[in-house]
């Protein structure tokens, strides 16, 4: 197998990732590590090489991670076609030592594509990194685990996933949106593949420290999801109608989420306007205010209970996350609404990298 890392100005963190890959309990002679430096203005290439990674230099313009990966696979299948499978990581990750052996077991079970467990490298650093950590723990359990239990396809989360060489040789890796993970998942579902869930293959990911960084990152996610819906919804619909394919129906529901959030927002605003007109004509403003306060307080309380439940289900302690995150997760979720509205009005056009600064080794996370 090969570990594949697309990197842009990641000299400060990529060494820890490569070290964690060298510490795998998978036979070292059966694994290579490739780094794809692109648009770098620092010494990412030199740091990666010094830690024992092979370097693949991009030959064309790279506007996104998907472009870098596409160029890598074109190169590897023409120049060094010896790998059975590829595991994709982001440069800011560190990887549990059982990752490759766990993915090897998944391959031996007959699966061709699999998503590993995306854990957090820095849930305690800020309230926003804590919220985003809870968000991914929620996705692990209520999206990927739930889908797997129902025989549906899990979703690739951008990092910590495996693709068999057979799939890539047959289908290629050509993505066009700002979210190559969601797009490749959609392409696979249309072509009849399923993304397996591999919870024992754990990757620790660095989350944004500021709300501004998280806002920018999530705008890219939402824009990419909308792009995928516009491009692939007809094919998914055909698979549902002609083949009664449950995974395709589930994928439509996944891609339609930004639209549903905006429609829900419009519906809520219209409801308040209608209720406001009703209260004006009936003169019961005091009751309206009481109801609004009860709904707001109840919503925040439910969010706190839900957050604590997610921590408990995922085996985390309350002290494992920034305490403010427990009480602000509702705000993080609500902020998706203006993000999605903005993505419809003015979608972003280029991929903007998030600076990674948390120099954390795998030994600091796993004892």
């Amino acid at each position: 197998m090969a570990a594949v890392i697309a990197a842009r100005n990641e000299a400060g963190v990529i060494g820890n990732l490569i070290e964690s890959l060298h510490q795998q309990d998978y036979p070292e002679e059966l694994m290579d590590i490739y780094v794809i430096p692109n648009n770098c203005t620092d010494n990412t290439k030199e740091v990666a090489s010094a830690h024992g990674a092979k370097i693949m230099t991009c030959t064309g313009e790279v506007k996104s991670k998907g472009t870098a990966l596409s160029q890598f696979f074109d190169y590897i299948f023409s120049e060094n076609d010896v790998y059975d499978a590829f595991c994709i990581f982001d440069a800011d990750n560190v990887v549990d030592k059982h990752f490759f052996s766990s993915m090897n077991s998944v391959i031996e079970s007959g699966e061709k594509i699999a998503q590993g467990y995306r854990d957090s490298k820095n849930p305690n650093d800020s309230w926003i990194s804590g919220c985003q950590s809870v968000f991914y723990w929620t996705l692990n359990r209520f999206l990927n685990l739930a889908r797997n239990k129902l025989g549906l396809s899990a979703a690739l989360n951008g990092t910590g996933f495996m693709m068999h060489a057979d799939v890539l040789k047959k289908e290629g890796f050509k993505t066009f949106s700002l979210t190559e993970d969601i797009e490749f998942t959609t392409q696979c579902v249309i072509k009849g593949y399923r993304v397996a869930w591999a919870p024992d293959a754990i990757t620790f990911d660095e989350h944004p420290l500021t709300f501004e960084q998280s806002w920018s990152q999530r705008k890219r996610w939402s824009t990419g999801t909308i792009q995928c819906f516009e491009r692939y919804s007809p094919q998914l619909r055909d698979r549902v109608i002609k083949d009664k394919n449950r995974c395709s129906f589930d994928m439509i529901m996944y891609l339609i989420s930004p639209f549903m959030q905006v429609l829900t927002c419009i519906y809520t605003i219209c409801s308040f306007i209608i209720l406001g007109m009703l209260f004006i004509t009936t003169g019961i403003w005091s009751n309206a205010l009481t109801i609004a306060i009860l709904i707001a307080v109840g919503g925040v309380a439910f969010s706190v209970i839900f957050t604590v439940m997610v921590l408990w289900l995922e085996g985390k302690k309350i002290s494992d996350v920034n305490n403010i995150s427990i009480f602000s997760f509702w705000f993080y979720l609500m902020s998706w609404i203006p993000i999605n509205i903005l993505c419809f009005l003015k979608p972003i056009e280029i991929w903007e990298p998030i600076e990674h600064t948390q120099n954390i080794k795998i030994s600091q996370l796993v004892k």
Side-chain angles (χ1 to χ4, degrees), residues 52-241:
K54 299 176 183 291
I55 305 298
M56 201 289 285
T57 303
C58 294
T59 56
E61 184 182 13
V62 176
K63 293 184 178 181
S64 67
K65 177 182 172 183
T67 306
L69 291 175
S70 178
Q71 290 189 25
F72 170 79
F73 290 122
D74 288 343
Y75 159 79
I76 210 72
F77 290 133
S78 64
E79 301 294 335
N80 192 25
D81 185 10
V82 298
Y83 302 103
D84 296 309
F86 302 88
C87 295
I88 311 302
F89 303 99
D90 286 341
D92 57 286
N93 300 158
V94 288
V95 182
D96 180 78
K97 68 178 182 179
H98 304 301
F99 186 96
F100 274 81
S101 57
S102 297
M103 284 301 184
N104 185 70
S105 297
V106 170
I107 294 171
E108 290 181 338
S109 72
E111 301 289 355
K112 297 292 186 180
I113 311 166
Q115 174 63 52
Y117 189 99
R118 189 167 178 173
D119 211 330
S120 177
K121 196 167 83 171
N122 60 329
N124 232 321
D125 284 353
S126 71
W127 74 271
I128 194 66
S129 72
C131 284
Q132 202 141 312
S133 299
V134 174
F135 177 72
Y136 270 104
W137 292 330
T138 302
L139 292 185
N140 286 335
R141 177 160 291 270
F142 294 105
L143 179 71
N144 286 328
L145 176 61
R147 280 173 157 176
N148 187 68
K149 292 285 188 180
L150 292 170
L152 301 173
S153 174
L156 300 181
N157 288 157
T159 187
F161 64 92
M162 178 277 297
M163 300 179 291
H164 199 283
D166 290 348
V167 176
L168 293 166
K169 289 177 183 178
K170 181 179 179 181
E171 312 296 349
F173 190 92
K174 303 295 180 184
T175 58
F176 309 93
S177 70
L178 292 175
T179 48
E180 78 291 331
D181 51 348
I182 296 173
E183 184 172 2
F184 190 71
T185 302
T186 306
Q187 292 173 348
C188 289
V189 168
I190 291 171
K191 293 169 182 174
Y193 296 99
R194 152 183 198 275
V195 178
W197 172 233
D200 294 327
I202 303 171
T203 300
F204 295 88
D205 189 45
E206 180 178 330
H207 294 300
L209 298 178
T210 68
F211 183 75
E212 182 182 7
Q213 290 176 328
S214 174
W215 179 279
S216 175
Q217 187 179 60
R218 288 185 287 152
K219 275 186 68 178
R220 178 176 65 83
W221 296 346
S222 289
T223 299
T225 302
I226 294 168
Q227 290 172 336
C228 288
F229 179 84
E230 292 172 346
R231 189 180 186 100
Y232 298 105
S233 58
Q235 299 172 63
L236 289 167
R237 180 198 60 210
D238 290 344
R239 290 277 286 151
V240 173
I241 295 173

Side-chain angles (χ1 to χ4, degrees), residues 167-330:
V167 176
L168 293 166
K169 289 177 183 178
K170 181 179 179 181
E171 312 296 349
F173 190 92
K174 303 295 180 184
T175 58
F176 309 93
S177 70
L178 292 175
T179 48
E180 78 291 331
D181 51 348
I182 296 173
E183 184 172 2
F184 190 71
T185 302
T186 306
Q187 292 173 348
C188 289
V189 168
I190 291 171
K191 293 169 182 174
Y193 296 99
R194 152 183 198 275
V195 178
W197 172 233
D200 294 327
I202 303 171
T203 300
F204 295 88
D205 189 45
E206 180 178 330
H207 294 300
L209 298 178
T210 68
F211 183 75
E212 182 182 7
Q213 290 176 328
S214 174
W215 179 279
S216 175
Q217 187 179 60
R218 288 185 287 152
K219 275 186 68 178
R220 178 176 65 83
W221 296 346
S222 289
T223 299
T225 302
I226 294 168
Q227 290 172 336
C228 288
F229 179 84
E230 292 172 346
R231 189 180 186 100
Y232 298 105
S233 58
Q235 299 172 63
L236 289 167
R237 180 198 60 210
D238 290 344
R239 290 277 286 151
V240 173
I241 295 173
K242 295 178 181 179
D243 305 324
K244 304 296 187 293
N245 187 276
R246 295 190 306 143
C247 290
S248 295
F249 178 78
D250 180 60
M251 201 68 216
I252 292 176
M253 293 297 98
Y254 182 87
L255 296 179
I256 209 172
S257 57
F259 298 85
M260 295 304 297
Q261 282 197 3
V262 173
L263 289 174
T264 301
C265 180
I266 294 172
Y267 171 80
T268 303
I269 293 172
C270 291
S271 298
F272 273 109
I273 292 174
I274 294 171
L275 288 173
M277 293 174 63
L278 177 64
F279 292 146
I280 288 174
T281 56
T282 58
I284 54 173
W285 281 104
S286 59
N287 290 338
L289 182 60
T290 301
I291 292 171
I293 292 174
L294 287 175
I295 291 174
V297 172
V300 173
F302 176 80
S303 172
V304 172
I305 293 171
F306 176 81
T307 303
V308 173
M309 179 187 70
V310 170
L311 294 175
W312 173 66
L313 289 172
E314 296 305 288
K316 311 295 181 184
K317 300 176 182 178
I318 291 179
S319 59
D320 289 339
V321 298
N322 187 291
N323 288 340
I324 299 176
S325 305
I326 297 173
F327 300 97
S328 59
F329 189 56
W330 68 270

